[in-house]
């Protein structure tokens, strides 16, 4: 039999398996999980098998979604099964399934039939099923209208409290001690949140679990800063839920809610490849609607990088319009009976009708208005939109005209025209099979080039833009010279810039001037000390923060913060260090384990303050 990958496992299945183990077996679980690496083989009838010795065989039989969603789909041949170490170790070694994605894959055919849309068209994707008002998918107890509650129910408050407790324990343990048992407690709390109608909280918990796993396995794509942000989001959301202060935006919706948008004329802006760490790939086409509102049409399904590359020319299933994503990105649609989600995504309901219309060049109104807006004002609006609880995957798009100054390390340096700031242009999607990196490298080889850029501002870096598409600056020289069929712009993820797309250098062209670095308020501010303290806690847990505090004068790290006027950050960092090192004693004077609740509160307060301070510095860097 050939080797195989373990199928994804539903969070509740793993949590139940870990809970069934004895305390003695739990201590051996992480070692057993490590032993499962590379042992999976293909079994009969689509099953996956893992053998332990000669007499013990664990068999996983995934359901229609490709994931193990029931306890009976994982069996072991040993005498202690199902409460055995072998079965639990295999479940612990398997990837965590996205519960909503698995459920939506199984429901996709019925939803598509109700909408009159073919699943093969890709508009009803595994990442986001799109029911519209009036369909069978939007009625009954699980309807979209019933998902967003006006106030929290007692069950939701209890689920938030359970999630806070599990997240606090995981934070206190850190990556070093955050093994399968700690992860299982988070998964159990995540499942409770799901049952209580809190899909956003469940998703935040699953991101933390996946981050812990990647960090413990030293995954190539794992960054400690990402896991720190995931902990901050999970703890902040759980705290709001447990206190009863969370609003409908924090509750979220299990399925994307669509509202009637009437007649709508949208103009294509660009295409963006979509590639997730969980094996999904596809494309999102960005559109401009009335009043400068951004809209999207997405086609994201399982398939990884291969699908992300091919989806750029896949058909658009929207109201019978005969267009592919490449044509839509440079054209437009007149939509009757449009349905629009809160984050601007266009639905493909049965009543939707769409007619292709002529697109608009970036030099024509209303698209040209995107590039005429003052850049700091546009950045503030984009970052605020990306921070909304019900928002999309990040900030809105930003348009500006720049002069390329040259390459510096892993980015390009450019200056916004008409007296704007220096900005850094970084690759939007670094996968080597996508065109972003090669295109930015070519652009960097032409200092002095004038570009019209449409991209997404990076909320975590000073004056940084991640370009999705570029075009010539109207009436400027030197600038790009693009083919007529590209209609005046290049999608950096799909179109590949060639030498003849750039202006020719004269024979006596002067050598390029040194590329200026420009100020970086984030790097220059002593906030990195707070960030390092928070990340130390995530990596090594509460003990690591306490040891760092004991190893030097506890007040010393706060001195530079106070000198820079960051008094709030200094006080919160000192409070975190003090709480981490707090060692309570019982009535007999014996040391006892401190509660993780107060430590998690101190960590969260410092993390939220740091995020706000850094966001202010990022916005100031665009001035």
């Amino acid at each position: 039999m050939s080797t195989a990958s373990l199928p994804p496992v539903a969070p509740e299945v793993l949590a139940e398996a870990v809970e069934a183990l004895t305390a003695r077996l739990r201590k051996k679980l992480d070692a057993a999980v490590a032993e499962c690496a590379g042992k999976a083989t293909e079994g009969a009838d689509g099953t996956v098998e893992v053998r332990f010795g000669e007499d013990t065989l664990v068999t996983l039989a995934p359901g229609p979604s490709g994931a193990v969603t029931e306890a009976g789909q994982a069996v072991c041949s040993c005498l202690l099964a199902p409460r055995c170490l072998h079965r639990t170790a295999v479940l612990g070694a398997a990837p965590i399934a996205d519960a909503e994605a698995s459920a939506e894959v199984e429901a996709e055919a019925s939803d598509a039939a109700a909408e009159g849309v073919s699943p093969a068209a890709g508009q009803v994707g595994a990442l986001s099923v799109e029911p519209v008002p009036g369909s069978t998918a939007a009625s009954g107890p699980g309807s979209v209208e019933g998902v967003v509650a006006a106030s929290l129910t007692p069950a939701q408050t209890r689920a938030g409290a359970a999630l806070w407790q599990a997240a606090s324990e995981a934070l206190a343990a850190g990556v070093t001690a955050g093994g399968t048992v700690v992860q299982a407690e988070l998964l159990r709390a995540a499942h409770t949140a799901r049952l209580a109608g809190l899909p956003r909280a469940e998703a935040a918990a699953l991101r933390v679990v996946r981050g812990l796993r990647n960090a413990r396995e030293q995954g190539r794509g794992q960054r400690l800063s990402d896991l720190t942000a995931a902990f901050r989001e999970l703890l902040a959301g759980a705290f709001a839920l447990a206190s009863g202060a969370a609003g409908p935006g924090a509750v979220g919706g299990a399925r994307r809610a669509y509202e009637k948008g009437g007649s709508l004329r949208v103009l294509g802006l660009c295409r963006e490849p979509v590639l997730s760490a969980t094996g999904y790939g596809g494309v999102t086409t960005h559109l401009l609607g009335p009043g400068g509102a951004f809209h999207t049409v997405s086609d994201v399904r399982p398939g990884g990088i291969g699908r992300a590359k091919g989806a750029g020319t896949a058909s658009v299933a929207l109201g019978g319009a005969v267009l592919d994503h490449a044509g839509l990105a440079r054209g437009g649609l007149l939509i009757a009976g449009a349905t629009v989600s809160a984050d601007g995504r266009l639905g493909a309901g049965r009543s939707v009708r769409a007619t292709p219309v002529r697109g608009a060049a970036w030099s024509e109104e209303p698209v040209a208005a995107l590039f005429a807006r003052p850049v700091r004002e546009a950045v503030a609006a984009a970052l605020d939109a990306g921070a909304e609880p019900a928002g999309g995957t990040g900030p809105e798009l930003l348009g500006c005209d720049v002069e390329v100054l040259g390459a510096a390390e892993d980015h390009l340096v450019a200056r916004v025209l008409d007296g704007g700031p220096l900005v850094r242009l970084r690759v939007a999607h670094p996968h080597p099979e996508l065109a972003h990196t090669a295109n930015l490298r070519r652009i960097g080889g032409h200092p002095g080039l004038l570009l019209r850029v449409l991209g997404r501002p990076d909320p975590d870096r000073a004056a940084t833009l991640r370009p999705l598409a570029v075009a010539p600056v109207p009436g400027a020289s030197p600038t790009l010279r693009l083919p007529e069929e590209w209609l005046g712009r290049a999608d950096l993820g799909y179109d590949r810039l060639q030498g003849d797309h750039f202006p020719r250098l004269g024979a006596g062209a002067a050598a390029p001037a040194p590329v200026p670095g420009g100020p970086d308020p984030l790097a220059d501010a002593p906030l990195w000390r707070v960030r390092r303290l928070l990340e130390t806690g995530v990596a090594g847990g509460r003990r690591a923060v306490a040891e760092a505090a004991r190893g030097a004068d506890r007040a010393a790290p706060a001195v530079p913060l106070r000198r820079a006027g960051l008094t709030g950050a200094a006080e919160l960092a000192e409070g975190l260090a003090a709480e981490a090192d707090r060692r309570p004693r019982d009535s007999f004077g014996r040391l006892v384990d401190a509660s993780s609740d107060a430590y998690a509160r101190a960590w969260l307060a410092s993390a939220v303050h740091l995020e706000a301070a850094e966001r202010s510095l990022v916005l100031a860097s665009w001035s």
Side-chain angles (χ1 to χ4, degrees), residues 402-404 417 446 448-452 471-473 476-480:
V402 304
E403 178 188 1
V404 177
L417 298 184
H446 293 77
L449 183 71
L450 303 182
L451 282 180
R452 176 156 283 187
V473 175
S477 180
T479 191
L480 290 175

Side-chain angles (χ1 to χ4, degrees), residues 225-240:
S225 59
D226 293 337
L227 183 54
T228 302
F231 262 112
R232 183 190 66 235
E233 179 185 355
L234 173 59
L235 287 167
F239 183 84

Side-chain angles (χ1 to χ4, degrees), residues 126-149:
L127 285 183
S128 176
V129 180
E130 303 175 356
V132 297
S135 72
T136 58
S139 61
S143 68
V144 172
E145 289 82 0
V147 169
V148 180

Side-chain angles (χ1 to χ4, degrees), residues 158-579:
R158 290 193 297 270
L163 205 53
W164 169 266
Q165 180 63 30
S168 299
E169 296 291 344
L171 178 67
V175 171
T176 54
T180 308
V181 174
V182 172
Q183 296 168 24
E185 291 302 318
L186 267 174
L187 294 177
R188 176 176 298 281
H191 183 57
T192 302
R194 182 189 181 195
L195 295 179
L198 300 171
R200 189 179 300 278
E202 179 203 20
L206 295 185
R207 279 193 291 273
V208 169
V209 172
R210 293 190 180 104
L212 286 172
R213 287 189 167 196
N214 289 338
R216 289 175 63 84
E217 296 168 3
Q218 297 181 347
R220 292 180 57 188
Q222 175 62 29
R223 295 192 310 168
L224 191 57
S225 59
D226 293 337
L227 183 54
T228 302
F231 262 112
R232 183 190 66 235
E233 179 185 355
L234 173 59
L235 287 167
F239 183 84
L241 291 168
S243 64
V251 173
R255 297 159 73 88
R256 181 176 276 111
Y258 284 76
E259 297 181 355
K260 294 181 179 179
S263 297
L264 197 64
R265 182 186 179 95
V266 294
L267 301 172
L269 294 174
C270 67
R271 295 168 292 168
E272 177 183 9
V274 177
L275 186 62
S276 78
T278 53
Y280 290 89
V283 63
T284 291
T285 296
H286 296 274
L287 309 163
L288 186 68
F294 290 107
H295 296 282
T296 59
V297 174
S298 296
D299 179 359
V300 181
R301 300 173 64 83
I305 183 60
R307 193 166 197 292
K309 293 168 63 178
T313 53
S315 298
V316 176
L318 185 65
V322 185
L323 271 179
D324 59 18
H325 280 271
L328 179 58
R330 293 179 168 92
L333 287 175
L334 182 61
I335 308 173
T339 56
V340 186
S341 71
D343 60 358
R345 181 162 170 171
L346 299 178
R350 181 172 47 191
S351 61
V352 177
R353 295 291 180 268
T355 303
V357 296
R358 177 185 175 274
W362 284 8
S363 57
E364 301 175 6
E365 295 296 344
V367 181
L370 292 177
F371 304 92
R373 191 176 185 183
V375 65
R376 191 181 190 280
E377 176 185 324
V379 169
L383 294 181
D384 287 344
E388 289 294 327
T393 56
E396 288 185 350
L397 301 186
L398 165 71
C400 60
D401 295 341
V402 304
E403 178 188 1
V404 177
L405 302 182
E409 299 177 350
D410 59 346
H411 61 273
L412 305 184
V413 177
R415 184 183 299 279
V416 177
L417 298 184
D418 298 328
L422 285 177
V423 297
R424 299 161 182 83
L425 304 180
R426 292 185 180 271
V427 174
H429 299 278
H431 196 285
E433 294 189 40
L434 296 175
H436 288 283
T437 301
N439 283 332
L440 231 60
R441 187 179 296 117
R442 276 192 173 275
I443 292 172
H446 293 77
L449 183 71
L450 303 182
L451 282 180
R452 176 156 283 187
V453 181
L454 185 67
R456 187 175 287 111
D458 191 328
D460 300 321
R461 295 177 183 269
T464 298
L465 185 66
R466 297 190 180 271
L468 301 180
V470 295
V473 175
S477 180
T479 191
L480 290 175
R481 302 179 301 180
L482 300 179
E484 291 185 5
E485 59 268 23
W486 287 10
L487 298 181
R489 63 256 206 183
D491 295 332
L492 295 180
Y494 292 103
D495 303 321
R496 291 191 178 270
L497 297 173
Q498 305 297 331
D500 56 356
H501 297 156
F502 295 89
R504 296 177 181 175
L505 297 176
V515 178
D520 188 338
L522 278 184
D524 297 339
L527 286 173
W528 63 267
R529 300 174 184 273
V530 181
R531 192 181 313 113
R532 184 172 64 180
L533 183 65
L534 294 172
E535 292 180 354
T536 296
V538 170
R542 177 177 188 155
R543 179 177 299 180
V545 176
E547 290 177 352
R550 296 191 205 113
D553 181 6
R554 184 177 296 164
V559 172
L561 293 169
R562 286 194 167 88
R563 286 176 178 170
L566 301 170
T567 306
E571 292 178 353
L572 290 171
E574 287 179 331
L576 173 59
E579 181 58 40

